[in-house]
């Protein structure tokens, strides 16, 4: 989109030394033209109403190497959205038009960290399932790498067995619930524990060392968004046997 003054319906655009291209006339102050191919770098964009005399003023148009997406962390999030997703790839540009798009959902603003790392927040989704996450440097031309992001239900915890464990840790606790993915983990208070997913309704976790008291166990499929439900574990001092009678 080119903004200016005195545009006619016959206007053309010229990018650097490339041949002029026809513009789509919107108004006397706005036209739209498709960029020509060029190497990465900056070109002068000028306009002509007669394909002969070009404007004495011009704008700088930047050609860039197309971005690419390779890895997402995490690879899933809840339907409610707002999951912080770190996107790894290449050729990301630090601009206010740097965006992420999750499937057909509305684009979300991205935060640039480097040419190979950016951050974006997942939008809310009405549907469970996998979508492709794509990135654009100009809010128009998106990548086509189709790196998957899964919208999934947050785990719900129902019970834990055993319901008590010693302060030393190392007790294998079986947790029953719903919506566990293969990436699910357990968290004892604020400590994430080593976990094994048995099925979508059961997960096993090794307790860490903890202080005496009641600890809430929660679970997450992505190490970011934790369950709203929890189950309790009573943490006890180590038992000792003083005597046997008779």
């Amino acid at each position: 989109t080119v903004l200016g003054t005195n545009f006619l319906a016959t206007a053309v655009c010229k990018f650097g030394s490339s041949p002029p291209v026809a513009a789509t006339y919107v108004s006397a102050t706005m036209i739209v033209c498709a960029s020509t191919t060029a190497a990465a770098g900056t070109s002068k964009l000028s306009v002509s109403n007669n394909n002969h005399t070009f404007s004495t003023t011009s704008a700088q148009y930047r050609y860039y190497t197309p971005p690419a997406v390779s890895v997402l962390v995490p690879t899933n999030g809840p339907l409610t959205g707002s999951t912080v997703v770190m996107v790894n790839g290449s050729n990301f540009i630090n601009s206010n038009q740097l965006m992420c798009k999750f499937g057909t959902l509305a684009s979300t603003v991205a935060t640039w960290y480097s040419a190979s790392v950016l951050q974006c927040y997942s939008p809310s989704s009405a549907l469970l399932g996998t979508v492709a996450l794509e990135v654009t440097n100009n809010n128009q031309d998106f990548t086509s790498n189709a790196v998957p992001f899964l919208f999934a239900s947050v785990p719900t915890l129902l019970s834990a067995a055993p319901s008590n464990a010693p302060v030393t840790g190392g007790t294998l606790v079986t947790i029953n619930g719903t919506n566990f993915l293969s990436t699910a983990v357990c968290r004892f208070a604020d400590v994430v524990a080593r976990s094994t997913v048995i099925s979508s309704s059961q997960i096993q976790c090794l307790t860490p060392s903890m202080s005496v008291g009641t600890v809430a166990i929660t679970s997450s499929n992505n190490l970011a968004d934790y369950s709203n439900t929890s189950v309790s574990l009573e943490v006890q001092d180590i038992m000792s046997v003083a005597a046997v009678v008779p």
Side-chain angles (χ1 to χ4, degrees):
T1 300
V2 182
L3 304 177
T5 57
N6 304 318
F7 298 142
L8 299 179
T10 55
V12 296
C13 295
K14 184 176 175 64
F15 294 83
S17 58
S18 297
V21 293
T24 299
Y25 178 82
V26 179
S27 69
T29 59
M30 181 186 296
I31 57 175
V32 177
C33 46
S35 60
T36 54
T37 58
T42 302
S43 293
K44 182 175 71 173
L45 189 157
S46 55
V47 174
S48 172
N49 282 326
N50 62 8
N51 202 17
H52 178 71
T53 305
F54 283 84
S55 55
T56 56
T57 57
S58 61
Q60 296 297 310
Y61 183 82
R62 181 179 181 181
Y63 287 93
Y64 56 81
T65 303
V69 176
S70 56
V71 177
L72 309 180
V73 179
T75 57
N76 66 78
L79 292 175
T80 51
S82 298
T83 298
V84 177
V85 181
M86 301 305 296
V87 181
N88 294 276
S90 58
N91 303 319
F92 301 144
I93 292 176
N94 186 11
S95 85
N96 58 10
Q97 294 180 315
L98 181 66
M99 311 283 281
C100 292
K101 190 170 186 179
F102 293 74
T104 59
L105 300 174
S107 300
T108 61
V109 175
T111 301
W112 185 87
Y113 283 92
S114 71
S116 59
V117 178
L118 61 81
Q119 172 189 292
C120 52
Y121 289 87
S122 64
S124 60
S125 173
L127 299 174
L128 296 170
T130 300
V131 300
L133 189 151
E134 308 293 358
V135 170
T136 176
N137 283 323
N138 63 2
N139 199 20
Q140 182 171 327
D141 302 302
F142 285 84
T143 56
S144 57
N145 303 112
V147 177
F149 181 87
L150 174 65
F151 283 99
S153 297
V154 174
T156 298
L157 276 61
L158 300 175
S159 64
S163 58
N164 61 77
V167 294
T168 50
T171 299
L172 184 65
V173 177
T174 298
I175 298 172
N176 295 302
T178 61
N179 304 321
F180 297 129
L181 300 181
S182 61
T183 53
V185 297
C186 295
R187 185 174 67 176
F188 293 82
D190 295 325
V191 180
V192 177
R194 192 170 68 186
S195 310
T196 301
V197 178
I198 306 302
S199 69
S200 61
S201 60
Q202 190 174 87
I203 187 173
Q204 292 182 327
C205 313
L206 282 176
T207 61
S209 58
M210 298 173 284
S211 300
V212 171
T214 302
V215 171
I217 306 174
T218 54
S219 180
S220 172
N221 283 324
N222 64 4
L223 281 173
D225 304 293
Y226 282 84
S227 55
N228 296 317
T229 57
S230 63
V231 290
S232 296
L233 181 75
E234 293 297 326
V235 182
Q236 303 172 331
D237 276 326
I238 300 173
M239 294 179 294
S240 61
V241 177
V244 176
V245 178

